[in-house]
Amino acid sequence: MVPHAPASLLVRNGALSVRLADEVARFSLRLAPADTGQAAAAFGGPLPARIGAMSQSNGRTALQLGPDEWQILAPPGDVDALSAAFAALPVPHSLVDISHREVGIVVEGAAATLALRSAIAFDLEAMAVGTGCRTLFDKAQILLIREAADRFRIEVWRSFADHVWGLLRAASREIDLDL
Amino acid sequence: MLLIRCPYCEAERPEVEFVYAGEAHITRPTNPSALSDEAWKDHLFTRTNPRGRHFERWRHLHGCGRFFNAVRDTVSDRFALTYKAGLPRPTDAEIEAANAPAAQTPATNAPAAQNQEARS
């Protein structure tokens, strides 16, 4: 959890809600792009084939971050099953459990893009729903996922989470006061 | 802030996600021991430092993490073209074609295969 932070930030008029996401299991998967077909069996569905694209199956979400890199989000109880499935995979790969490295933050509401824009440099309006990318939030590296038109999820390393949370708190305060 | 097209992500991304990584298309000598000190010094330290078009490496550090090559004008800071690492140096004609107004998504076009990699 983010230390010294309330469970959520809420803007009075309901335009913005910032809260910590429920715990999930996270994995970093490195794999040759040619082997994604075989890895699909272990994942339980096709892996995305384009950087930024996401695919979901059985509650697991895979997001492609680089030509040979994926991040998998799964229910917390799924860690052993997912690890075992990939351990049986005959192709060279690396699956690392990074569940406790990161914190999830959900930014939701009509003012979600406005709040994120305070610290993210690219055009959030142009980001398609159901895509994600690695980027910078102020100076902190994050994973940004657009789950819906007005709902974003940030995945950030624990050591940076306080900083991100503080900036979101400042942005939501400004939105609250309509500055 | 500059927008730089990453040839791997196939998207325009903000400059802060990238780091500069020096001049591109520098081939390491296959047998450094055979070089004179002068030639080895040139390989290590001497760069073209042009005024105008420059072929250079960049890394999409806070994105896909990949190194790629870019053609940038050092006067105007304008990126003419970005292309994947390992591809040969694009010709003038390819760079012009990529910047023609009619070009749709020129930045990922693979340059012709017959270019020489020798340093000029």
Side-chain angles (χ1 to χ4, degrees):
Chain A
M1 291 299 105
V2 181
H4 318 303
S8 67
L9 305 168
L10 207 59
V11 167
R12 238 173 302 161
N13 57 15
L16 179 69
S17 132
V18 182
R19 63 180 188 277
L20 290 177
D22 293 336
E23 274 302 294
V24 291
R26 304 169 177 90
F27 293 89
S28 171
L29 171 66
R30 304 299 296 263
L31 178 77
D35 294 333
T36 49
Q38 294 193 60
F43 176 64
L47 287 169
R50 196 172 176 283
I51 295 176
M54 289 202 303
S55 67
Q56 291 176 326
S57 70
N58 303 328
R60 298 168 177 173
T61 303
L63 166 66
Q64 185 166 11
L65 294 174
D68 59 356
E69 183 180 7
W70 289 261
Q71 177 141 340
I72 296 174
L73 305 179
D78 202 12
V79 174
D80 293 341
L82 192 73
S83 305
F86 273 94
L89 196 64
V91 295
H93 69 281
S94 145
L95 183 80
V96 180
D97 185 346
I98 52 167
S99 301
H100 303 287
R101 184 180 77 176
E102 297 178 356
V103 177
I105 299 172
V106 178
V107 181
E108 188 172 16
T113 51
L114 181 62
L116 292 173
R117 210 154 58 203
S118 64
I120 294 179
F122 69 91
D123 185 5
L124 288 158
E125 305 284 352
M127 187 179 183
V129 173
T131 63
C133 62
R134 191 153 43 199
T135 185
L136 283 178
F137 186 95
D138 190 47
K139 301 281 182 184
Q141 182 171 289
I142 63 162
L143 219 63
L144 183 71
I145 298 171
R146 187 165 201 176
E147 296 179 327
D150 61 353
R151 189 171 77 247
F152 292 84
R153 181 189 179 103
I154 294 173
E155 290 280 319
V156 59
W157 286 18
R158 280 173 184 272
S159 48
F160 299 149
D162 253 354
H163 180 62
V164 169
W165 189 267
L167 286 172
L168 286 171
R169 178 160 49 202
S172 58
R173 179 86 178 125
E174 289 188 3
I175 292 167
D176 197 13
L177 297 172
D178 203 18
L179 290 178
Chain B
M1 182 178 296
L2 298 174
L3 287 175
I4 303 174
R5 184 178 176 86
C6 172
Y8 292 94
C9 298
E10 295 175 351
E12 309 277 342
R13 309 295 300 177
E15 180 189 355
V16 288
E17 291 183 8
F18 296 84
V19 288
Y20 176 71
E23 189 174 348
H25 301 295
I26 293 174
T27 312
R28 186 180 170 86
T30 47
N31 184 10
S33 318
L35 292 185
S36 67
D37 286 353
E38 196 67 15
W40 183 239
K41 179 208 73 183
D42 282 350
H43 164 69
L44 288 180
F45 304 117
T46 309
R47 297 294 177 259
T48 52
N49 193 24
R51 183 177 194 278
R53 183 172 291 169
H54 188 220
F55 296 82
E56 55 196 17
R57 298 163 77 228
W58 284 77
R59 187 181 178 206
H60 194 186
L61 177 65
H62 299 292
C64 62
R66 288 302 158 124
F67 282 91
F68 60 92
N69 294 334
V71 184
R72 181 176 62 95
D73 190 301
T74 57
V75 178
S76 65
D77 227 10
R78 179 179 154 76
F79 281 77
L81 184 65
T82 59
Y83 52 103
K84 292 182 178 180
L87 293 177
R89 188 192 297 253
T91 61
D92 287 354
E94 283 160 351
I95 295 169
E96 299 310 322
N99 287 281
Q104 286 295 312
T105 51
T108 54
N109 286 351
Q114 293 179 343
N115 278 339
Q116 290 302 309
E117 281 299 285
R119 263 187 84 191
S120 50

